[in-house]
């Protein structure tokens, strides 16, 4: 069995936790009209070959435009989707591609030297604003308003667990653990710029690994956004099991590359 089959299932569950999911023959439609600017909550997710691209593109465009949302598609298995890509081009979609590493934890807790003053706690109603303030400094996550809405929606969902790291009492880093059955995914790792390079990420990763063992997960995944981040996770026991080539097609608005780079 392809190891990413489990990841596809986990990804659909993850997206469906903060948006409405409608399954199709080629994947799923996701939408959240309360968060129109949060792209991950509003897109078609294509994971199987599309046999009628013309009808499919018309369906996607109509579906999102009726909801006043920008039609967007995240497309996997690109070797099966050439007809779909051609149809999207005919319909004036902009397009970009990514090669994304997929990493799986080896179930060995990372060795991290103790650091005086470091504490990690679960995010609760009492410290949630501190966690949001940390995440809001990461431009790749979006605007502060978007981050706050997404954070609070996920924070209220039982499949998400957020954690806050403090250094000498100051909130410095956050991380999120998403659970679906026996699979889990490490998400939303963020550190204040003033505290980067101090090894705090290692403490968060070790904590998440220990939590994963305590809960009895079979797999702990992470999807780093670039090779530099991939190398960081590799130091803490995450093995790259695949490099997934995927596409993003959109009729208007920002590309994902622009969002990650903080372009206006």
């Amino acid at each position: 069995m392809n190891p990413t089959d489990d990841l596809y299932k986990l990804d659909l569950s993850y997206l469906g936790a903060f948006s409405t999911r409608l399954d199709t023959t080629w994947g799923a439609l996701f939408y959240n009209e309360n968060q129109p600017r949060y792209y991950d909550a509003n897109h078609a997710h294509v994971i199987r070959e599309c046999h009628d691209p013309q009808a499919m593109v018309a369906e996607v465009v109509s579906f999102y435009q009726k909801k006043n949302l920008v039609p967007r598609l995240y497309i996997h298995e690109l070797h099966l989707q050439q007809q779909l890509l051609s149809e999207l081009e005919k319909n004036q979609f902009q397009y970009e591609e990514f090669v994304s590493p997929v990493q799986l934890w080896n179930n060995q807790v990372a060795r991290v030297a103790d650091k005086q003053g470091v504490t990690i706690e679960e995010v609760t109603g009492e410290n949630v604003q501190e966690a949001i303030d940390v995440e809001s400094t990461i431009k790749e996550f979006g605007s502060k308003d978007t981050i706050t809405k997404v954070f609070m929606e996920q924070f209220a969902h039982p499949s998400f667990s957020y954690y806050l790291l403090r250094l000498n009492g100051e909130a410095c880093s956050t991380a999120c653990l998403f659970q679906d059955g026996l699979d889990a995914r490490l998400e939303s790792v963020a550190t204040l710029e003033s505290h980067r390079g101090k090894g705090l990420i290692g403490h968060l990763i070790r904590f998440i690994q220990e939590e994963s063992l305590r809960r009895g997960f079979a797999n702990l995944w992470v999807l780093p956004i670039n090779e530099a981040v991939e190398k960081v996770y590799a130091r803490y026991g995450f093995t790259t099991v695949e490099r997934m080539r995927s596409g993003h097609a959109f009729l208007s608005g920002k590309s994902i590359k622009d969002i990650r780079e903080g372009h206006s």
Side-chain angles (χ1 to χ4, degrees):
M1 182 176 179
N2 188 323
T4 54
D5 286 347
D6 287 337
L7 185 63
Y8 280 142
K9 177 178 177 293
L10 182 64
D11 200 37
L12 292 177
S13 296
Y14 171 75
L15 297 168
F18 50 82
S19 59
T20 301
R21 168 183 167 183
L22 300 176
D23 289 327
T24 70
T25 57
W26 40 262
L29 294 160
F30 292 93
Y31 68 97
N32 185 336
E33 294 169 281
N34 293 324
Q35 297 187 33
R37 301 183 64 181
Y38 186 40
Y39 298 156
D40 276 354
N42 297 286
H43 68 276
H45 195 84
V46 186
I47 59 176
R48 289 181 289 275
E49 184 176 6
C50 175
H51 295 289
D52 190 346
Q54 186 174 7
M56 181 267 205
V57 172
E59 175 190 4
V60 169
V61 170
S62 175
F63 179 85
Y64 287 104
Q65 288 184 341
K66 285 180 179 178
K67 297 180 181 299
N68 294 315
L69 298 169
V70 174
R72 291 178 176 270
L73 302 91
Y74 292 166
I75 308 164
H76 301 285
E77 306 294 341
L78 291 179
H79 63 288
L80 301 175
Q81 307 292 2
Q82 292 309 305
Q83 289 184 320
L84 173 58
L85 296 180
S86 296
E87 185 65 25
L88 290 167
E89 184 178 6
K90 290 178 186 177
N91 283 269
Q92 309 301 313
F93 275 79
Q94 300 178 65
Y95 182 72
E96 58 187 341
E97 286 189 5
F98 303 92
V99 177
S100 305
V102 176
Q103 292 182 294
L104 185 61
W105 181 42
N106 63 10
N107 289 322
Q108 300 296 313
V109 175
R111 294 183 179 180
V112 180
D114 290 336
K115 186 176 182 68
Q116 188 173 2
V118 169
T119 60
I120 300 175
E121 63 202 52
E122 188 165 2
V123 175
T124 66
E126 294 182 359
N127 58 11
V128 65
Q129 188 57 53
E130 291 179 282
I132 291 173
D133 289 343
V134 172
E135 284 209 7
S136 295
T137 66
I138 310 302
K139 61 184 181 181
E140 293 88 351
F141 290 175
S143 68
K144 184 171 184 177
D145 181 60
T146 297
I147 290 170
T148 300
K149 288 180 179 178
V150 172
F151 193 107
M152 291 307 297
E153 194 162 323
Q154 295 181 353
F155 175 63
H157 196 284
S159 294
F160 289 84
S161 300
Y162 275 90
Y163 301 95
L164 179 67
L165 179 147
R166 298 182 186 274
L167 179 60
N168 299 321
E170 180 185 358
C172 300
S173 301
T174 60
C176 170
L177 187 63
F178 173 75
Q179 174 186 358
D180 181 51
L182 294 178
D183 281 273
R185 199 161 107 180
L186 176 58
E187 287 284 334
S188 303
V189 178
T191 300
L192 295 178
E193 187 173 0
S194 59
H195 287 79
R196 294 173 191 170
K198 298 180 180 180
L200 300 181
I201 181 67
H203 292 273
L204 264 177
I205 292 174
R206 180 180 66 182
F207 183 92
I208 293 292
Q209 291 172 344
E210 291 172 343
E211 185 68 9
S212 179
L213 289 177
R214 187 184 70 81
R215 297 194 194 185
F217 296 142
N219 298 304
L220 176 61
W221 304 86
V222 67
L223 279 68
I225 63 172
N226 55 45
E227 289 186 3
V229 177
E230 177 187 8
K231 291 178 181 178
V232 171
Y233 286 112
R235 294 203 299 267
Y236 297 105
F238 286 86
T239 301
T240 300
V241 295
E242 187 170 339
R243 296 187 183 279
M244 296 177 64
R245 181 168 161 256
S246 60
H248 171 232
F250 54 108
L251 267 184
S252 63
K254 294 181 182 180
S255 68
I256 300 303
K257 290 178 181 178
D258 283 343
I259 294 169
R260 289 178 178 176
E261 294 171 4
H263 294 167
S264 59

